[in-house]
Amino acid sequence: MAGQTEQLLNAILADIDAGRLNPGDVLDEAGLATRHGVSRTPIREVLIQLETAGLIRRLPRKGAVLFKPTLEEFLAILEVHAQLEGQAAGLAARRMTQAQAAELEQIVQACEAHAAQKGDGDPNGYYQLNLQFHGAVATASGNPFLVEMIKTNARKLMAYYRARYQYPGSIAQSATEHREIAELIFAHDRAGAAATMMQHVQFDQVTVMDLLAALG
């Protein structure tokens, strides 16, 4: 049973990461049982874990619904998330290994190539590169607890970050900022890497309102 619970949890998290599940989507127990071939017991265990992590909410007559933030919630989560991402970048500037640096450089080059070759096209493809970039920086922090906190917070905002790349020029800007952050990390500039990463993941309130409306 524990194996089924873990597999189902990982499958749902993968659906969130890939954009197959979005804010406000209903997690129907019967549908999950049919799709994943599991009984109701592991499903209910997974829903408890997702609710504890703040990734779903239980709503009357709807059941389990993927977390959909209000403006105030979005800004509050973003404030925490920016601090976590900045801390990871700062630690990476101190702790990144040569192998991790090579991996990050490869990802940054892929982001730059995407921006140069595809422009504003294929925003979903670029978003997957963006996930790789942030994942590589978080891993290089050398703090697995920080990595998990970043992942949990990111999944609450993931659909909105993905939607951001629909805006003209946002992919090119992101790729440029990835290069800036990477160079600061490579230079072991802890303060600069942390501050630039925090600025990179932030949204202004007008943009947040636009994204909430777009995914409303």
Side-chain angles (χ1 to χ4, degrees):
M1 192 68 69
Q4 284 190 337
T5 300
E6 185 176 357
Q7 288 176 12
L8 178 60
L9 177 62
N10 289 336
I12 292 174
L13 293 178
D15 283 345
I16 294 173
D17 292 349
R20 291 185 291 268
L21 280 174
N22 287 293
D25 286 354
V26 176
L27 293 179
D28 174 61
E29 289 190 23
L32 290 172
T34 300
R35 179 180 175 189
H36 297 284
V38 296
S39 66
R40 293 295 180 92
T41 300
I43 291 173
R44 287 167 183 164
E45 290 175 353
V46 166
L47 293 181
I48 289 171
Q49 292 184 47
L50 292 171
E51 186 174 24
T52 300
L55 293 173
I56 66 169
R57 283 180 171 161
R58 309 273 187 159
L59 299 179
R61 296 180 297 279
K62 280 192 174 183
V65 177
L66 207 67
F67 175 72
K68 187 175 184 178
T70 64
L71 174 61
E72 292 77 13
E73 289 171 333
F74 192 112
L75 293 173
I77 295 168
L78 185 61
E79 187 173 51
V80 173
H81 188 60
Q83 292 288 335
L84 294 173
E85 290 267 16
Q87 184 178 8
L91 289 173
R94 286 177 52 190
R95 300 173 177 173
M96 178 170 276
T97 66
Q98 287 187 345
Q100 289 171 335
E103 180 187 6
L104 184 62
E105 173 63 26
Q106 189 174 34
I107 294 168
V108 171
Q109 288 184 14
C111 291
E112 291 173 330
H114 190 291
Q117 296 167 13
K118 299 185 179 181
D120 295 322
D122 190 20
N124 289 331
Y126 182 81
Y127 182 69
Q128 294 306 311
L129 292 174
N130 180 69
L131 287 180
Q132 292 178 37
F133 172 81
H134 287 275
V137 173
T139 299
S141 75
N143 187 322
F145 295 99
L146 179 59
V147 172
E148 287 306 311
M149 291 171 68
I150 288 173
K151 284 182 180 178
T152 298
N153 270 286
R155 286 181 174 122
K156 295 175 184 177
L157 305 177
M158 204 162 267
Y160 304 95
Y161 276 104
R162 186 182 295 108
R164 187 184 195 181
Y165 295 124
Q166 305 285 343
Y167 290 14
S170 60
I171 289 175
Q173 179 182 351
S174 174
T176 298
E177 291 173 1
H178 285 176
R179 171 55 68 188
E180 292 172 357
I181 294 164
E183 292 300 332
L184 289 165
I185 291 173
F186 297 154
H188 309 294
D189 184 346
R190 183 179 181 182
T196 307
M197 177 66 91
M198 287 178 62
Q199 186 177 14
H200 171 66
V201 301
Q202 282 281 11
F203 294 110
D204 61 78
Q205 184 167 329
V206 173
T207 302
V208 173
M209 293 173 69
D210 288 343
L211 291 172
L212 288 172
L215 292 176

